[in-house]
Amino acid sequence: MKTSTKVLSLVTAAALAVGALAGCSSKSGSSDSDGKTIKVAYQTTATFNQMQTLMETAKKQFEAANPGVTVQLQPIQAEGADYYTKLALMNKSASTAPDVQYEDTFKIQSDAAAGYLLPLDDRLAKWPDWQLYAKGAQEAGQGPDGQTYGVSLGTDTRALWYNKQLFEQAGIPTPWEPKTWADVTAAAQTIKAKLPDVIPINMYSGKAAGEAASMQTFEMLMSGTPDWLYNADTKKWVVGSQGFKDSLQYVADTYQNGLGPSLQQALDPNIFTNVTAEWLPKGKLAIALDGSWQSAAWVEGGTAPWSDWSTVLGLAPMPTKDGATPGSTSMSGGWTLALGKNTANPDQAFAFLTTALSKENALSYDVDNSQIAVRSDVAADPSYTGANPSFGFFSKLVDVTHFRPATEDYSEISNAIQVAMEAVMTGQSSVDEAAAAYDAAVTKIVGADNTETASS
């Protein structure tokens, strides 16, 4: 059932070595804007200022090249789900909807279906740089109708960051190469026993962590089992799978056995900042299931500079449950720039988008934000390949990576996963009860005809 998700990973991998892409036509939609102001909405957080830097740079470049047009930057300082909520509220009215917006790939399907986004295909066909994007990156921006609604800024992979100094103190050999989930648990148990003041492992879980819980933890786990959430061949959501229960059980065991952060820490909306700026740099966390972008905060000029990060921290791929082929797994996502459906000047808005995503700007952003490049010219640039010692490790994970189901209803189902995770991590429900509640929620969301029972 997971083979269809691997298609994107393979083409994304190809983009790291080669390249070949194509973006401007009539106006559409309406807005209170006079077309002389381009409103740009995007996310910032305490540990993520790279988008602010990119937008300020693009604004200067665009306004210099387009006298009389003003770019109005509208940063939204919010973590995870709060950003999606605030952006959705802006899009509900033509008067507040942005002309250009920072859009997570997993939201494109639902936002396009809701009428928030403008199709870009006609304009992309006239933009020579489009041929430089990996096919997987191109497809990541497609809506439910097959049209393209977003242009990728970069992609990412996920793995296990671990503190080599703490491992040495606990007597765990490095380099650490866990082969199964049980190996990861064993290391966490050793840390707990030998270093009681250290959080053994962080895997995001619960509603406060939002998509980081459902995608980065749960789907990472489930991708290492024989089962998957969605059957792309039958276009049906899978219920009753053992892989789902096994993944929930791993979350429950981690938190119920005191191997993760306390519930108060885990359910704190600021946990992302805590992990990046406090727990990892200050040796308070031994293992973090986290993304390729983490080092962006630690490099010179980052939000939490840490000169020794590359020597203190090691990296290990996340193993499959029992070590089954291919032995390790990862999850990939990524963000795009998209145009608002109600923009009064789509031509100017698209011109700003292409300015922001020029080779020069994409190269700078991918290096600063520790992104896996999706433009072939950026991926091959020596200033990219030599910029960060973790790039090579994370780039190799595209060979085993997976992507979220690209459906309109994924967002609601993701929320149901978070509910199930929180229920078992807090002990409010057993794994069987939480899995049954999830199955019922999925059936209600998509309808019984759009579900199937797992064969495993």
Side-chain angles (χ1 to χ4, degrees):
M1 292 180 191
K2 293 180 289 188
T3 54
S4 59
T5 65
K6 294 293 292 285
V7 173
L8 287 180
S9 70
L10 293 174
V11 294
T12 304
L16 297 172
V18 295
L21 284 185
C24 294
S25 65
S26 61
K27 296 183 181 181
S28 63
S30 61
S31 168
D32 290 341
S33 170
D34 58 6
K36 295 297 183 181
T37 300
I38 303 299
K39 297 179 292 184
V40 185
Y42 53 93
Q43 182 186 29
T44 65
T45 72
T47 56
F48 175 56
N49 64 0
Q50 291 85 356
M51 182 53 57
Q52 182 69 32
T53 300
L54 174 62
M55 291 297 98
E56 289 176 354
T57 299
K59 170 181 166 70
K60 291 178 183 178
Q61 294 170 341
F62 184 81
E63 289 180 344
N66 296 273
V69 180
T70 300
V71 175
Q72 183 182 100
L73 301 182
Q74 299 179 329
I76 301 173
Q77 186 160 10
E79 298 278 8
D82 286 343
Y83 173 72
Y84 306 135
T85 299
K86 292 176 180 180
L87 184 62
L89 288 173
M90 293 176 71
N91 275 309
K92 286 188 180 297
S93 169
S95 63
T96 58
D99 299 287
V100 180
Q101 64 190 52
Y102 181 59
E103 179 86 2
D104 197 335
T105 51
F106 98 96
K107 295 292 289 184
I108 285 180
Q109 293 268 336
S110 57
D111 284 355
Y116 296 157
L117 307 179
L118 186 71
L120 303 177
D121 298 86
D122 290 346
R123 292 176 171 82
L124 289 172
K126 300 175 184 176
W127 184 40
D129 288 16
W130 187 232
Q131 299 302 328
L132 299 171
Y133 282 70
K135 184 181 178 185
Q138 293 178 337
E139 292 175 348
Q142 290 180 354
D145 56 3
Q147 297 190 82
T148 305
Y149 291 87
V151 180
S152 179
L153 286 144
T155 190
D156 48 43
T157 53
R158 290 153 175 79
L160 295 164
W161 295 85
Y162 65 96
N163 187 307
K164 292 185 284 187
Q165 295 175 346
L166 295 178
F167 270 46
E168 181 180 352
Q169 292 172 36
I172 304 173
T174 59
W176 182 48
E177 300 176 341
K179 304 299 183 185
T180 65
W181 292 1
D183 291 345
V184 178
T185 297
Q189 289 171 332
T190 300
I191 294 291
K192 182 182 180 183
K194 300 290 184 65
L195 304 172
D197 294 331
V198 172
I199 299 169
I201 186 170
N202 179 67
M203 303 187 304
Y204 298 113
S205 184
K207 291 180 286 187
E211 189 63 14
S214 47
M215 185 261 213
Q216 189 157 303
T217 295
F218 192 85
E219 291 169 41
M220 172 77 93
L221 290 168
M222 196 172 177
S223 69
T225 76
D227 297 310
W228 190 233
L229 296 168
Y230 182 74
N231 187 336
D233 295 329
T234 61
K235 301 191 184 305
K236 292 186 177 184
W237 289 90
V238 180
V239 296
S241 77
Q242 187 61 44
F244 190 94
K245 290 182 179 181
D246 289 345
S247 301
L248 268 189
Q249 188 67 59
Y250 196 77
V251 171
D253 290 345
T254 298
Y255 282 92
Q256 291 296 305
N257 293 325
L259 300 180
S262 69
L263 292 179
Q264 182 179 7
Q265 292 171 321
L267 299 176
D268 182 348
N270 296 314
I271 187 172
F272 307 105
T273 298
N274 294 337
V275 168
T276 304
E278 291 288 329
W279 298 353
L280 283 172
K282 296 183 179 180
K284 298 179 180 180
L285 173 64
I287 306 167
L289 178 57
D290 226 306
S292 52
W293 62 85
Q294 279 286 18
S295 61
W298 304 324
V299 298
E300 183 178 354
T303 55
W306 179 18
S307 60
D308 296 331
W309 71 269
S310 61
T311 56
V312 172
L313 297 181
L315 286 162
M318 181 65 189
T320 54
K321 179 178 180 291
D322 298 313
T325 303
S328 60
T329 187
S330 182
M331 289 296 300
S332 290
W335 290 73
T336 70
L337 290 183
L339 300 192
K341 182 69 174 288
N342 291 302
T343 179
N345 196 333
D347 290 339
Q348 290 283 20
F350 183 76
F352 176 82
L353 181 152
T354 57
T355 297
L357 295 178
S358 67
K359 185 204 172 183
E360 175 189 6
N361 288 338
L363 173 60
S364 178
Y365 179 80
D366 286 348
V367 169
D368 291 347
N369 198 34
S370 298
Q371 291 279 289
I372 294 175
V374 292
R375 287 180 57 127
S376 59
D377 53 352
V378 172
D381 195 293
S383 59
Y384 171 78
T385 56
N388 187 305
S390 71
F391 282 179
F393 170 86
F394 281 110
S395 294
K396 290 179 182 178
L397 294 180
V398 296
D399 291 335
V400 296
T401 204
H402 301 80
F403 290 78
R404 291 163 285 190
T407 69
E408 294 176 45
D409 36 35
Y410 171 78
S411 183
E412 291 181 81
I413 290 171
S414 174
N415 184 68
I417 294 172
Q418 295 158 32
V419 170
M421 294 177 77
E422 185 161 323
V424 299
M425 71 183 284
T426 60
Q428 293 176 337
S429 299
S430 69
V431 165
D432 285 346
E433 290 168 342
Y438 167 81
D439 290 347
V442 170
T443 302
K444 182 177 180 180
I445 292 166
V446 305
D449 290 344
N450 293 310
T451 66
E452 64 182 38
T453 302
S455 56
S456 64

